[in-house]
Amino acid sequence: MTADPKDELVEHLGAMRAFAISLTRNTALADDMVQDAVVKAWSKIDSFQPGTNMRAWLFTILRNTYYSHHRKHRREVEDGEGNLTAGLAQKPDHDGRLQMRDFNQAFDQLTPEQREALTLVGAGGFSYEEAAEMCDVAVGTIKSRVNRGRAHLTEILELSDDDPLESTEAVTMGIVASNQGAL
Amino acid sequence: MSRADRTSRIEQEIEQNLKRAFDDVADQEVPSRLTDLLAQLRSKETDRSQQDAKDEGDANDS
């Protein structure tokens, strides 16, 4: 008896949620979307080729679910339950890393296509070629989405990156300068 | 810190945060509604195949 690929689905639920959240930016909506995708995957498991990457197959179903259905509902739930940036717990930031909240807010401002490409390549461990196949676009399109997404994030985070040391120095310098001017 | 240094630091942090945002969710416990769903789908299927087997048995009897 051969292994049933359906038994493997459970191992990908966590990653499916992570990918869904990168698209919807809302946990409640992401879980609805994963639920729909799991039902679809189950019913069309025969189209999964054993030995190929099941996570890629599931992510493809998930993104199709998002673009055909859940994208429309984003505005309706934006301020509701599960909103990521509103209720997110702050992680301590002792070593100067960017706050996760800043990052999430910047990430929100990208297009879903840029978030998707960045997530697949930058976090999901997929190659540009795999991501292109999953998104049904050319490899060059994925590369340009990744590059634009990165550039946009850098731009936003540079603006919000107020280094407290630098601004303190600037104030001190200003005081010194004005004192010197008074003397 | 020079502007170029700051940009490369931010780029590095973007990579780390992309991974962290993904892994934080992927490593979380999956809500029971999703694991329950798989169990439901499985039990529906088992019921159906048992029904099929029974139908087949009935057909052979006649």
Side-chain angles (χ1 to χ4, degrees):
Chain A
M1 188 176 165
T2 53
D4 186 346
K6 288 176 187 146
D7 291 338
E8 208 195 306
L9 286 172
V10 68
E11 293 162 29
H12 300 284
L13 291 176
M16 287 175 82
R17 291 186 77 223
F19 183 46
I21 285 173
S22 77
L23 288 169
T24 63
R25 312 302 294 141
N26 177 288
T27 48
L29 194 49
D31 284 341
D32 288 348
M33 195 170 111
V34 172
Q35 187 169 330
D36 289 356
V38 164
V39 172
K40 269 188 220 167
W42 192 277
S43 67
K44 55 188 247 182
I45 196 78
D46 291 342
S47 73
F48 171 71
Q49 298 178 320
T52 61
N53 188 334
M54 180 174 262
R55 183 162 298 181
W57 183 73
L58 290 170
F59 277 21
T60 306
I61 296 174
L62 201 51
R63 69 174 296 285
N64 292 342
T65 307
Y66 174 71
Y67 288 106
S68 66
H69 176 61
H70 289 278
R71 188 182 202 176
K72 294 196 273 287
H73 300 295
R74 171 152 198 217
R75 296 283 151 207
E76 293 164 27
V77 294
E78 192 127 35
D79 299 314
E81 189 195 346
N83 191 289
L84 266 189
T85 45
L88 207 74
Q90 285 276 32
K91 297 214 171 194
D93 187 30
H94 300 301
D95 51 2
R97 285 190 297 184
L98 290 177
Q99 295 278 6
M100 209 58 192
R101 180 183 291 191
D102 285 345
F103 175 79
N104 272 314
Q105 280 171 348
F107 199 62
D108 281 349
Q109 295 181 47
L110 305 183
T111 66
E113 288 82 2
Q114 289 170 346
R115 289 201 300 271
E116 172 176 74
L118 280 170
T119 302
L120 293 175
V121 173
F126 293 101
S127 67
Y128 284 110
E129 288 73 17
E130 287 170 323
E133 199 180 316
M134 290 158 79
C135 301
D136 199 21
V137 293
V139 176
T141 306
I142 290 293
K143 284 186 180 166
S144 107
R145 284 175 186 171
V146 166
N147 291 340
R148 281 190 198 157
R150 275 198 189 121
H152 197 178
L153 282 176
T154 307
E155 203 178 302
I156 300 166
L157 292 170
E158 273 184 339
L159 284 177
S160 69
D161 183 37
D162 288 324
D163 190 328
L165 253 183
E166 273 181 6
S167 43
T168 312
E169 274 168 24
V171 170
T172 313
M173 299 285 275
I175 293 166
V176 172
S178 65
N179 283 349
Q180 280 172 343
L183 286 175
Chain B
M1 195 186 288
S2 79
R3 194 182 160 74
D5 285 349
R6 207 170 72 139
T7 300
S8 91
R9 177 175 61 83
I10 287 176
E11 281 169 356
Q12 249 182 3
E13 284 166 344
I14 286 171
E15 297 313 304
Q16 286 166 1
N17 280 340
L18 270 174
K19 288 196 181 76
R20 191 164 136 206
F22 187 93
D23 292 343
D24 280 354
V25 180
D27 296 342
Q28 270 170 25
E29 198 181 337
V30 174
S32 55
R33 63 185 260 211
L34 293 174
T35 43
D36 290 351
L37 172 68
L38 283 175
Q40 275 167 21
L41 289 165
R42 177 61 79 193
S43 81
K44 249 195 251 171
E45 198 176 62
T46 312
D47 288 352
R48 206 180 311 128
S49 64
Q50 277 171 353
Q51 188 62 44
D52 288 351
K54 188 171 173 290
D55 291 350
E56 214 168 277
D58 291 348
N60 290 340
D61 287 345
S62 60

